Amino acid sequence: MTAYVIADIKINDPQWVPAYAASVHDLVHKHGGRYLSRSGNVKTLEGKPLDTTLIALMAFPSEAAARAFTSDPAYAPFVSARQGGSDSRFQMIDNTDLAGTIPYLPKG
């Protein structure tokens, strides 16, 4: 089952960004993931805007693969740098439909 990781980041100190951007995608790929988007072009269509400067959306072949990426020891220094220079939240969702009414998604 596909797992999506949504990274919602407010950059406070951009010094960590160049090394992170240049290297982390290789770790995502190592665990079977791929970026669907990594953009600072964030627009709120409804509701109160979040204080976000960057959102990344990654797809992994499974929850285990997503967790393997986030717990990879090679990723640890990038996590520390990101956490030190931003307020960030990583969330994971699967590809299910909670209501079970969308025929092309598994019922959640």
Side-chain angles (χ1 to χ4, degrees), residues 27-89:
L27 292 169
V28 169
H29 295 163
K30 173 183 170 184
H31 295 284
R34 66 186 183 98
Y35 278 92
L36 302 178
S37 179
R38 184 171 68 180
S39 177
N41 191 15
V42 179
K43 295 178 175 75
T44 300
L45 298 178
E46 183 177 324
K48 180 181 175 187
L50 298 175
D51 199 10
T52 299
T53 52
L54 171 71
I55 294 177
L57 176 60
M58 296 159 270
F60 289 87
S62 66
E63 179 179 338
R67 290 186 184 278
F69 157 66
T70 59
S71 64
D72 189 320
Y75 183 46
F78 297 105
V79 173
S80 293
R82 176 179 44 78
Q83 289 175 342
S86 73
D87 298 321
S88 55
R89 178 177 55 222

